[in-house]
């Protein structure tokens, strides 16, 4: 009798994502680097400039998208991060870096639909030239950069994942982004500066 081998769906997704599209070669930012300003189009049609955001102490810059299963798994956590930390001066700035010709599900119109459906409380910007993603060195969706602001300049404090459990927020033992912002808010140095981002590869324009 032949044995049936059952492979968990999540394992299949992980395997697929690891081979999905080549990585863009880019050094990007490291913790301690100054982050360049950017101006990108929001889902409401307005242009959002990072440095023009008022009364902020920093930002949670998240490269994310509509279609990626990992982005979808983290979606409610990204919303929760904004709701918790925007009042403390650290809003989420979500950026879709994907080439929409490669992945039509991430088109500007579909961004608008997704944001409306999920009631995003944060800006959701389209990086249509992919210049911002390349400058940051983003490789995955989601890929997070926690920034602090001083004298209208932004410094990269943390790079990586939101936490250590993509599948189940309730089982996350390490909440990297929360820890980083809590330390910054307390006037402390961020102790965990980088962790590996887990997600779909960014769909780069060929």
């Amino acid at each position: 009798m032949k044995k049936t081998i059952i492979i968990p769906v999540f394992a299949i997704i992980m395997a697929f994502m690891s081979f999905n599209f080549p990585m863009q070669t880019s050094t990007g930012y490291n913790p301690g680097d100054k982050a360049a300003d950017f101006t990108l189009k929001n889902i409401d049609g307005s242009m959002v400039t990072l440095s023009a955001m008022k009364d902020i102490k920093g930002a949670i810059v998240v490269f994310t998208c509509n279609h990626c299963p990992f982005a979808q798994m983290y979606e409610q956590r990204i919303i929760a991060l904004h709701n918790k930390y925007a009042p403390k001066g650290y809003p989420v700035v979500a950026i879709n870096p994907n080439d929409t010709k490669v992945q039509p599900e991430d088109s500007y119109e579909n961004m608008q639909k997704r944001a409306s459906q999920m009631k995003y409380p944060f800006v959701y910007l389209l990086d249509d030239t992919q210049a911002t993603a390349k400058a940051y060195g983003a490789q995955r969706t989601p890929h997070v950069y926690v920034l602090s602001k001083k004298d209208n300049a932004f410094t990269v404090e943390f790079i990586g994942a939101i936490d250590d459990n993509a599948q189940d927020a309730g089982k996350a033992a390490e909440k990297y982004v929360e820890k980083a912002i809590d330390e910054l808010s307390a006037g402390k140095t961020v102790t965990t500066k980088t962790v590996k981002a887990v997600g779909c590869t960014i769909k780069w324009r060929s």
Side-chain angles (χ1 to χ4, degrees), residues 85-155:
Y85 290 108
K88 298 181 180 181
Y90 293 89
V92 164
V93 178
I95 301 174
N96 172 18
N98 283 340
D99 181 356
T100 59
K101 291 182 179 179
V102 176
Q103 182 48 260
E105 194 173 338
D106 292 333
S107 70
Y108 182 73
E109 292 75 17
N110 285 330
M111 287 172 61
Q112 292 174 313
K113 291 176 183 178
R114 185 78 185 181
S116 176
Q117 176 188 3
M118 302 306 297
K119 295 180 172 58
Y120 286 174
F122 44 76
V123 296
Y124 189 23
L125 313 177
L126 178 62
D127 184 11
D128 57 347
T129 67
Q130 302 187 313
T132 301
K134 290 177 182 178
Y136 274 70
Q139 298 291 341
R140 301 280 177 180
T141 52
H143 204 151
V144 184
Y145 294 74
V146 173
L147 310 181
S148 63
K149 182 182 180 184
K150 184 177 181 180
D151 299 328
N152 219 35
F154 291 87
T155 300

Side-chain angles (χ1 to χ4, degrees), residues 37-72:
D37 201 7
F38 56 75
T39 299
L40 298 172
K41 188 177 181 180
N42 190 23
I43 49 170
D44 64 0
S46 66
M47 301 303 292
V48 173
T49 301
L50 184 63
S51 63
M53 298 180 73
K54 296 181 179 180
D55 302 321
I56 64 172
K57 298 176 182 178
I60 306 168
V61 176
V62 184
F63 291 91
T64 187
C65 65
N66 297 341
H67 87 279
C68 172
F70 292 90
Q72 293 173 10

